[in-house]
């Protein structure tokens, strides 16, 4: 059972409190259960923070609420010994900024290593030519991996706070909306540990393998998961259906509009609709509804409910939202009318209608393998491997190795008939 002092040494994040040197310990659920809090007047629960600072030769401490506004800056040490200050008046904003900095550091490491390797190669080439060049000065990253000690604990601590907010019946929708937004953004920032260039390569390789599987399922480079091709229809059926629906008699309240105004998570949106329709996300018809508007839509669509589509598509969408925002709950149904599917769904904030052409509805798909898996370094192809996949894909577009079917047209050939 760690003591308070041991917790500061192991889990502490350097900080400033009201301008004084300080340390902050995020209290995670695990730490709350094991921490020896005998000397703490106000026991710390999961989601709280332990704060200590030096006031002269005296070390003072507080248990603080991570949602309260406090005069705190987190300090992230640079390689040159200086500190990057991350304002933590809002601890949730500070956690997201720190995670973004850590991800940017990952990019910086890759760029610096590449630059140093190139400089060393050019230096050696000059030496081999008989020149006497100055040895290249090794570049360094702004931060080190150790600079971000404690940030994972901070994210875990705040995750427990956000889940608590979602479970609190007295939390208003604006606060709950911020909680869902935080959980979603934190999940994206911690989803994988790849640089942006490596992630782009991994996604490109995944796309090529899926398209190879569509052309030649038995090919050794074919993905086990086939992502359906993008829908090329014009979306007219979906537009016509949405245009025919009644006007919302109430519209959204100011509180609902405030929640809706929060920045959307486009990566989540892309994943969410990719398991429902092959219509590009920006072409999916959308309308925000009040709860009265939702009831009016449901009344008009009642006899067109498509239970088979709901049972197939909705669990996939729920798995995607659950992966991204574990405390987010919603319910919905799919209706099919006049060549279009319409998803009518509602959550604790508002209700929405989304429509796409029925022809673009996604059939069988393994979402665990195609959408929910995190990318790892093992998924990143070399340039040679990526080029090979491109060449295989290009060749299969013209010849996938299957038997040629000359009887694909069932219409009988017309016989020449003599007419006098």
């Amino acid at each position: 059972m760690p003591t308070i002092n041991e917790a500061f040494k192991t889990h502490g994040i350097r900080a400033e409190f009201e301008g004084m040197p300080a340390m902050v310990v995020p209290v995670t659920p695990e730490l709350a259960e094991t921490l020896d809090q005998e000397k703490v007047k106000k026991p710390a629960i999961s989601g709280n923070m332990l704060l200590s600072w030096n006031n002269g030769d005296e070390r003072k401490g507080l248990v603080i609420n991570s949602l309260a506004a406090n005069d705190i800056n987190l300090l992230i040490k640079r390689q040159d010994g200086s500190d990057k200050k991350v304002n933590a008046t809002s601890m949730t904003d500070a956690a997201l900024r720190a995670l973004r900095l850590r991800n940017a550091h990952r990019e910086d490491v890759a760029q610096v290593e590449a630059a140093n390797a190139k400089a060393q190669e050019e230096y050696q080439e000059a030496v081999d030519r008989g020149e006497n060049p100055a040895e290249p000065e090794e570049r360094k990253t702004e931060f080190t991996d150790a600079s971000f000690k404690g940030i994972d604990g901070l994210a875990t601590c705040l995750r427990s706070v956000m889940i608590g907010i979602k479970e609190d019946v007295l939390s208003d929708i604006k606060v709950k909306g911020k909680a869902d937004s935080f959980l979603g953004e934190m999940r994206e920032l911690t989803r994988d540990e790849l640089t942006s260039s490596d992630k782009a390569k991994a996604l490109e390789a995944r796309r090529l393998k899926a398209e190879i599987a569509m052309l030649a399922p038995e090919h050794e480079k074919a993905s086990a998961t086939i992502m359906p091709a993008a829908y090329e229809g014009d979306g007219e059926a979906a537009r016509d259906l949405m245009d025919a629906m009644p006007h919302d008699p109430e519209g959204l309240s100011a509180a609902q509009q405030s929640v809706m105004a929060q920045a959307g998570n486009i990566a989540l949106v892309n994943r969410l609709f990719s398991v429902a329709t092959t219509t590009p996300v920006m072409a999916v018809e959308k309308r925000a509804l009040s709860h009265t508007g939702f009831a009016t839509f449901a009344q008009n669509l009642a006899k067109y409910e498509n239970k088979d589509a709901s049972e197939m598509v909705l669990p996939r969408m729920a798995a995607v939202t659950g992966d991204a925002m574990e405390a987010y709950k919603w319910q919905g149904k799919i209706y099919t009318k006049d060549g279009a599917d319409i998803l009518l769904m509602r959550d604790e904030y508002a209700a929405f209608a989304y429509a796409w052409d029925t022809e673009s509805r996604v059939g069988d798909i393994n979402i665990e393998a195609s959408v929910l898996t995190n990318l790892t370094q093992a998924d990143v192809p070399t340039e040679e491997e990526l080029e090979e996949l491109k060449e295989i894909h290009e060749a299969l577009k013209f010849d996938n190795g299957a038997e040629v079917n000359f009887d694909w047209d069932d219409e009988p050939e017309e016989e020449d008939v003599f007419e006098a």
Side-chain angles (χ1 to χ4, degrees), residues 4-9 11-27 40 49-56 58-64 71-75 91:
I4 293 292
N5 280 353
E6 288 170 341
F8 275 102
K9 287 183 179 179
H11 305 288
I13 301 172
R14 297 168 61 252
E16 284 182 348
F17 174 61
E18 297 181 347
M20 295 176 286
M23 292 283 285
V24 171
V25 174
V27 181
V40 182
M49 305 256 173
L50 300 177
L51 171 69
S52 74
W53 70 97
N54 294 332
N55 187 5
E58 183 183 11
R59 187 182 185 191
K60 295 186 175 181
L62 277 177
V63 175
I64 62 173
D71 183 6
I72 296 175
N73 290 307
L74 303 182
L75 303 179
M91 199 62 74

Side-chain angles (χ1 to χ4, degrees), residues 107-179:
E107 303 282 342
D108 193 24
V109 168
Q111 293 172 6
V112 167
E113 287 179 350
N116 285 337
K118 182 179 180 182
Q120 192 62 41
E121 181 182 354
E122 292 174 348
Y123 167 77
Q124 191 58 50
E125 288 174 352
V127 171
D128 293 343
R129 291 193 300 267
E131 301 174 13
N132 187 27
E135 282 201 43
E137 183 176 346
E138 185 178 29
R139 287 179 52 185
K140 292 185 177 181
T141 57
E142 182 177 4
F143 302 102
T144 68
D145 291 348
S147 302
F148 299 94
K149 172 181 172 288
I151 298 304
D152 281 329
L154 178 61
T156 301
C157 168
L158 291 171
R159 169 187 168 276
S160 68
V161 175
M162 297 300 114
I163 291 176
I165 286 174
K166 291 304 301 294
E167 293 173 347
D168 185 354
V169 295
L170 297 181
S171 297
D172 63 39
I173 64 170
K174 185 174 182 179
V175 174
K176 288 186 175 182
K178 287 183 177 180

Side-chain angles (χ1 to χ4, degrees), residues 67 92 96 158-168 171-189 191 259-260 262-266 268 271 320-330 345-350 352:
L67 294 180
T92 51
L96 295 177
L158 291 171
R159 169 187 168 276
S160 68
V161 175
M162 297 300 114
I163 291 176
I165 286 174
K166 291 304 301 294
E167 293 173 347
D168 185 354
S171 297
D172 63 39
I173 64 170
K174 185 174 182 179
V175 174
K176 288 186 175 182
K178 287 183 177 180
D180 276 330
S181 179
F182 173 84
L183 289 169
E185 188 167 358
M186 187 185 75
R187 177 73 174 105
E188 290 302 317
L189 290 171
R191 181 171 290 277
V259 175
M260 298 302 104
Q262 295 184 40
N265 185 333
I266 189 61
L268 168 59
R271 286 197 303 276
V320 174
T321 55
D323 173 71
M325 298 181 293
E326 57 192 300
Y328 175 69
K329 304 296 181 185
W330 60 276
M345 62 82 67
R346 61 181 174 183
D347 55 23
E348 57 200 311
Y349 311 117
F352 300 88

